[in-house]
Amino acid sequence: MINRVLVSNRGEIARRVLRACRDLGVGTVAVHSDPDAGAPHVREADVAGRLPGATPAETYLSVERLLAVARSAGADAVHPGYGFLSENADFARAVVDAGLTWIGPPPEAIAAMGSKIEAKKLMAAADVPVLPELDPSGAGAADLPLLVKASAGGGGRGMRVVRAPEELADAVASARREAESAFGDPTVFCEPLLEDARHIEVQILADAHGTVWTLGERECSIQRRHQKIVEESPSPAVGPELRARLCGAAESAARAIGYTGAGTVEFMLARDGRFYFLEVNTRLQVEHPVTECVYGVDLVRLQIEVAEGARLPQSPPEPRGHAIEVRLYAEDPARDWRPAGGTLHTFEVPGVDAEFAVPAGYGLRLDSGVESGAEVGVHYDPMLAKAIAWAPSRGAAARRLAAALRGARIHGLTTNRDLLVRILEEQAFLDGDTDTGYLDRVGLGTLAAPLADEAAVRVGALAAALAQAAANRAGAAVLGGLPSGWRNVRSQPQRRTFQGPDGPVDVDYRLDRSGLTSELCPGTSLLSAAPDRVVLDHDGLRETFTVTTAGDAVHVDSRLGPVTLVAVPRFADPSGRIAPGSLLAPMPGTVVRVETGPGAEVAEGQTLVVLEAMKMEHRVAAPSAGTVTELNVTAGQQVESGAVLAVIEGTPE
């Protein structure tokens, strides 16, 4: 029996494993980097060990430090979660050699699947359909379009689409750098790009006694940068006959490598119904909760029991209902998926029925690695949480999940929340017409549009101004009960200016014996105002606005959509002005490469600097044509968000 598990991971997956251990009565050990010292997973474990440093290489990827914590804490087993070392055969062997139980497949199975190149050969030998492999050095125009892929790891890192011959060399070099950074292995290969295909995967679970479960399929086709953002089970494109063939191929793959524990066999499903092996993820998947909900199982608990030598029943449970999961990321889809770091001031999702567990009945599940007040840094993946709706039908699950996201209060960071809501409400998605090109086909112009339109921003700004006025009156020493700006006779209106999503918003209003009047929102009347809650009669409807202030930012939440405003000071500080033509760092990160120099002539849109942040490369391009008159960074340098990387002086007409 396992007595104490070290979870060699962080964030929501660490919390997920800790939850299963608590339910089993198993002791727990967490590990943390210095930035994660105050993280929820650290507090929730019985004991926690520090991994000195901040970068993955010196913390969560350090086998020696992880095993040292396991020894000092008296752990007798290790659960790797997903990401980091979860698919590292050398780490699995080191755990076993240290006399500890590895909660995962045998190191030999991990090694067999650790190289996607070798994995495809093994699957072909087991009669599992595979796509042909292409050598990057020999690929030509006839092979296009193609996909450059990292041989190790997953999560969309080290992947590039190539559509023109001149793009290949740069794509291969970039994929190799990203793969080396994320997985410690720069090996890449190419394969044909299947356009308009679906990404389908089968959950497998096997014991050491010859029983292999296939727990249906998940569809994970909606992706950005080859990384999934929406997952569901079952797939709307898979019927009983195709499901049987997919599950049969997944079982063959598991038996071919002597698999035990939980894993996933991934396929690409073409429009004509043919499917091709993609990879085997020899670990738990991010999207495992949708399978847990539909099949009523705890996959982490089963992982632990299988590692203890337990036998699985001959047949898995029968599926029930439909589950959809979305990944909430700290990123801006409208700005090339730019990741966001900083303080998450508020994180509240309404109507949650269960956390890190299957709800007692159909409902809403939340698996989150963060909470209000969390600091989101640049060293790790920008995923904040996963929200999962489980319902009798696909349509009911989509509606429940969209409503929960619409009602969530998420302040301090830009996220993809609005995008997720729009996907869940978009007709092609509701019709089940999705594939890996869904985001491009529907378009970010539609899907990344804010939930709050211009009218909602205006009335939100009025509510923010009234809430701030109420806060001022609440703190007033004299006549604090009077409304702010109240006059017996008509006077000049109250004025406040906010920076809104699309520019300044000037709020003017009067409060007198006749009530509220505002040119910004004609016909709107005030029912009540408090520092954190304003009720207005707007367009004949009673609307409630929840107002939260954090520094200069004012967050207004209502059914009209979330609005974030920044209070503009009446008198600006001239020392804060930035020189025209300044190229600013869009996020904190490390300069990977500088592709220009002082005096260089650059074109609009030309890449000048490449940053690495949150385990991805981000290109910073020239906003306009001109001459580089100032260059302030070199490769390897750390920069903060808003730092001036370079200054470009426009070319005279």
Side-chain angles (χ1 to χ4, degrees), residues 5 8 10 30 34 47 54 117 132 134 144 214 232 279 324 326 328 357 371 430 471 485 491 518 560 577 612 619 630:
V5 173
S8 60
R10 64 181 298 276
D34 290 337
V47 64
I117 296 172
L134 304 171
L144 300 177
T214 55
E232 60 182 305
E279 61 183 328
I324 303 175
V326 293
L328 184 69
E371 55 192 15
L430 293 175
S491 179
S518 171
L560 303 177
R577 293 175 182 165
E612 182 183 64
R619 297 174 179 271
E630 187 177 316

Side-chain angles (χ1 to χ4, degrees), residues 89-242:
D90 291 337
F91 179 49
R93 291 191 187 98
V95 168
V96 174
D97 291 344
L100 307 177
T101 298
W102 169 254
I103 303 175
E108 295 75 20
I110 298 174
M113 296 294 100
S115 165
K116 293 184 178 67
I117 296 172
E118 296 304 315
K120 292 178 69 169
K121 295 176 181 177
L122 280 171
M123 293 302 105
D127 293 328
V128 177
V130 299
L131 286 169
E133 175 200 333
L134 304 171
D135 186 336
S137 63
D143 300 311
L144 300 177
L146 56 79
L147 189 63
V148 181
K149 300 177 67 174
S151 182
R157 294 175 183 86
M159 295 179 69
R160 299 289 186 275
V161 173
V162 177
R163 298 186 181 279
E166 61 271 16
E167 298 173 357
L168 181 60
D170 183 61
V172 169
S174 178
R176 281 176 173 154
R177 285 193 303 272
E178 200 165 85
E180 172 71 28
S181 174
F183 316 120
D185 182 351
T187 306
V188 299
F189 67 100
C190 299
E191 65 184 18
L193 177 67
L194 279 182
E195 308 251 39
D196 302 326
R198 292 177 184 258
H199 188 132
I200 305 291
E201 60 190 31
V202 176
Q203 176 70 56
I204 59 173
L205 186 71
D207 63 21
H209 309 284
T211 299
V212 178
W213 281 3
T214 55
L215 295 168
E217 83 286 346
R218 297 185 289 253
E219 171 142 355
C220 312
S221 297
I222 300 180
Q223 305 174 6
R224 60 98 171 100
R225 291 183 168 179
H226 310 291
Q227 195 165 36
K228 307 159 190 172
I229 57 174
V230 181
E231 302 105 344
E232 60 182 305
S233 181
S235 166
V238 176
E241 188 273 333
L242 178 56

Side-chain angles (χ1 to χ4, degrees), residues 71 116 184 263 286 346 363 374 380 443 582 649:
R71 286 190 293 269
K116 293 184 178 67
V286 178
T346 310
Y380 314 115
S582 294
E649 188 174 298

Side-chain angles (χ1 to χ4, degrees), residues 279-316:
E279 61 183 328
V280 174
N281 290 126
T282 54
R283 54 171 169 82
L284 203 64
Q285 289 278 84
V286 178
E287 57 271 22
H288 75 274
V290 295
T291 296
E292 290 189 323
C293 289
V294 169
Y295 282 85
V297 296
D298 182 334
L299 288 172
V300 179
R301 179 176 185 144
L302 290 169
Q303 280 185 300
I304 295 171
E305 291 175 345
V306 165
E308 291 178 320
R311 290 178 178 269
L312 293 172
Q314 283 302 304
S315 300

Side-chain angles (χ1 to χ4, degrees), residues 355-385:
E355 295 186 43
F356 303 102
V358 178
Y362 292 128
L364 183 69
R365 169 175 171 172
L366 181 69
D367 287 16
S368 171
V370 297
E371 55 192 15
S372 296
E375 290 292 330
V376 178
V378 300
H379 298 291
Y380 314 115
D381 188 277
M383 191 174 77
L384 303 176

Side-chain angles (χ1 to χ4, degrees), residues 55-120:
T55 66
E58 58 192 354
T59 56
Y60 300 104
L61 292 175
S62 174
V63 174
E64 295 77 12
R65 288 180 174 177
L66 291 168
L67 292 179
V69 172
R71 286 190 293 269
S72 64
D76 57 352
V78 172
H79 193 301
Y82 51 75
F84 294 127
L85 293 170
S86 61
E87 295 181 280
N88 187 301
D90 291 337
F91 179 49
R93 291 191 187 98
V95 168
V96 174
D97 291 344
L100 307 177
T101 298
W102 169 254
I103 303 175
E108 295 75 20
I110 298 174
M113 296 294 100
S115 165
K116 293 184 178 67
I117 296 172
E118 296 304 315
K120 292 178 69 169

